Amino acid sequence: MHAWQKWKFNHPVFHKACWSVLLVFIFLLGKSIPLPYTDAKSLVIENAGLHFASVATGGDLTRLSLFSLGISPWMSAMIISNLLTQARGFGLDRLSEKRKDWISKEITLLLTLLQGFVVISSMQLTTPGWAAKGAVLLTLTAGTMFTIWLSNTNAQFGIGGLTLLVLANMLQIAMKTGLAAILTLAGHSEVRLVLIVAALAVGMVLFASLNVLTDRGEYRLPLVRLLIDNRYASRSYLPIKLTPAGGMPVMFAMAIVTLPTYFCMFFLTFFPQNQWLMWGATSLSLTKLPGIVLYISMLFLLSIAFALVNVNAEQQAKAFQRAGDYLLGVRPGKATERRINQLALIFGFVGGLYNGIFAGLPMLMIVSHPHQLGVYMLPGYVLMIVGFSMGMIDQINILSIRKRYRPLFDHAKEA
């Protein structure tokens, strides 16, 4: 028993899991800390699309708390900063990594202030005046920055990387909002309630199983490794997932699609009669057709972009050259890079169609049933939850590999 307990507490998964539990506890505790100058009667932003989009980015606009904004500004800033630093025409691609990181932080701060301003503008504070609004805005900004710090800390010391807090937030809120939507659909009929719950449960289980299959499915490129034993040569391959992007495009698409709405609502406070801003603030929401089309388009484009980034053909080709390995029937160097990029693009396209069909098309039903937004966003939530969970399982397996080979090292020390 003593040996088993020693193994358990020394296992790297145990230490990282403890860190993750602590960080999730701090995050959930922070969601219970109310904002200053607010009470239960304070108005929260009346936009269902922004409510549910905030869930997918670690926020919660349905309640006023320290972490109401989540990490949505940060994710939007990462996309914008990457686009800016890749633009060769401005010379930003020649900046150091440290400077690029600062640009991302500066954009994050600006977007946090903008989104916080929009949220505060829709609230009725207990104390009027700009001093109270400034205090609330400062608190929201500090909460967002602290959430980002928690996510980075979990990526360094815990399990689940940057997405663990988003996963915890999603599970907490999606269950609550999903239950409310189910009760609304069922009305006062118990028989209808049972049928709806059973149908949703079966559908979600089947859909989750399909997501697991697509996440684990892979295309294997035959790989020749010069330094490997001939007995294992036939098993060498470069795997490329059928859906290389996983559930990440859903989360980032939510963050990006809300930006036009936030910008329009921000400028409406200064130009309240502008028709274009009024149209953008209402029509680009996830409850309207233009906003839904924009969301589906972003899902598709981000699926391809994340596929190319995750596969990273340039890095793979360079690694093969350094090790003397090569793809069967493909010349090393640029030809290998083009081949890997080609396959990443193909499977990124497949992943984009998959995400668009299962996470995007159900959203079209919201146009005729705007009050059932929570139900039609469930497939996207499930896709994210399965993707993040499979990533955590992979991380745990990698951490456990070192322990499996520990007897070999102990035997070598004894010898």
Side-chain angles (χ1 to χ4, degrees):
M1 177 63 75
H2 177 72
W4 178 81
Q5 288 180 342
K6 183 179 179 181
W7 174 88
K8 178 180 66 174
F9 291 112
N10 288 334
H11 200 283
V13 175
F14 176 79
H15 292 285
K16 286 184 171 290
C18 288
W19 269 104
S20 294
V21 170
L22 175 62
L23 294 172
V24 169
F25 173 77
I26 295 173
F27 175 70
L28 296 178
L29 183 64
K31 290 183 63 177
S32 302
I33 299 176
L35 293 172
Y37 305 109
T38 61
D39 54 22
K41 297 180 181 180
S42 297
L43 297 177
V44 183
I45 187 169
E46 298 179 358
N47 189 309
L50 293 182
H51 286 170
F52 286 95
S54 69
V55 175
T57 55
D60 184 4
L61 293 179
T62 61
R63 56 190 295 188
L64 302 175
S65 71
L66 181 64
F67 297 152
S68 288
L69 293 182
I71 59 173
S72 174
W74 185 35
M75 289 190 292
S76 302
M78 283 193 289
I79 295 291
I80 295 173
S81 62
N82 282 333
L83 291 175
L84 289 176
T85 53
Q86 294 299 323
R88 298 179 183 275
F90 299 99
L92 298 178
D93 57 316
R94 295 189 294 271
L95 296 176
S96 64
E97 291 299 323
K98 184 177 181 180
R99 181 54 187 152
K100 290 178 181 179
D101 181 60
W102 271 106
I103 290 176
S104 178
K105 290 177 180 177
E106 291 163 359
I107 297 174
T108 300
L109 180 60
L110 288 175
L111 293 180
T112 303
L113 292 173
L114 183 143
Q115 294 185 16
F117 181 87
V118 171
V119 172
I120 293 170
S121 298
S122 65
M123 293 163 49
Q124 186 67 43
L125 301 179
T126 56
T127 301
W130 285 104
K133 291 183 178 180
V136 176
L137 180 59
L138 182 62
T139 305
L140 278 174
T141 303
T144 297
M145 297 304 167
F146 188 65
T147 307
I148 295 172
W149 180 83
L150 288 175
S151 299
N152 281 318
T153 303
N154 186 71
Q156 185 177 0
F157 299 108
I159 297 174
L162 303 175
T163 60
L164 178 67
L165 299 184
V166 175
L167 180 61
N169 184 70
M170 196 181 312
L171 290 173
Q172 181 193 28
I173 300 177
M175 292 178 65
K176 179 179 67 175
T177 56
L179 180 60
I182 290 171
L183 292 175
T184 303
L185 284 173
H188 299 286
S189 173
E190 293 183 1
V191 176
R192 189 175 181 182
L193 176 62
V194 172
L195 292 175
I196 291 174
V197 170
L200 279 177
V202 173
M204 290 298 103
V205 169
L206 292 176
F207 182 52
S209 301
L210 178 62
N211 285 333
V212 172
L213 289 175
T214 55
D215 185 85
R216 299 292 93 173
E218 59 188 22
Y219 179 83
R220 297 177 175 180
L221 272 170
L223 181 63
V224 178
R225 295 190 180 275
L226 298 181
L227 301 180
I228 199 171
D229 193 290
N230 289 332
R231 291 174 296 176
Y232 304 102
S234 60
R235 304 181 189 178
S236 299
Y237 56 85
L238 173 67
I240 298 179
K241 287 187 176 182
L242 296 179
T243 53
M248 295 297 288
V250 180
M251 182 173 65
F252 278 86
M254 290 284 185
I256 292 295
V257 168
T258 58
L259 279 183
T261 304
Y262 274 116
F263 274 108
C264 290
M265 295 178 70
F266 174 78
F267 286 109
L268 269 176
T269 58
F270 304 101
F271 309 100
Q273 303 302 322
N274 190 288
Q275 296 298 320
W276 287 103
L277 293 176
M278 293 175 63
W279 180 88
T282 55
S283 299
L284 294 179
S285 170
L286 287 173
T287 57
K288 302 296 183 180
L289 184 60
I292 296 171
V293 172
L294 177 62
Y295 170 66
I296 296 174
S297 302
M298 290 304 302
L299 268 180
F300 183 78
L301 293 175
L302 287 175
S303 296
I304 296 177
F306 274 109
L308 293 172
V309 171
N310 291 344
V311 174
N312 201 338
E314 182 180 2
Q315 183 178 353
Q316 292 279 9
K318 289 181 179 179
F320 291 158
Q321 277 191 310
R322 287 194 296 266
D325 304 331
Y326 59 92
L327 297 177
L328 189 63
V330 182
R331 293 179 63 86
K334 289 296 182 181
T336 297
E337 182 181 340
R338 285 194 297 270
R339 175 59 174 163
I340 298 174
N341 258 331
Q342 181 185 30
L343 290 173
L345 190 61
I346 292 173
F347 289 110
F349 184 85
V350 172
L353 289 178
Y354 181 85
N355 291 333
I357 291 172
F358 289 103
L361 290 185
M363 301 284 287
L364 295 174
M365 298 295 294
I366 298 172
V367 177
S368 55
H369 302 85
H371 298 295
Q372 301 303 327
L373 179 61
V375 174
Y376 297 116
M377 290 188 73
L378 279 178
Y381 288 162
V382 172
L383 200 152
M384 291 175 61
I385 291 171
V386 171
F388 296 161
S389 301
M390 298 307 293
M392 291 177 64
I393 292 173
D394 289 339
Q395 187 178 358
I396 292 172
N397 290 335
I398 292 172
L399 290 172
S400 301
I401 287 176
R402 186 171 59 184
K403 278 291 182 180
R404 296 175 188 173
Y405 293 98
R406 181 57 62 86
L408 295 176
F409 296 105
D410 292 341
H411 180 72
K413 289 180 180 179
E414 293 175 1

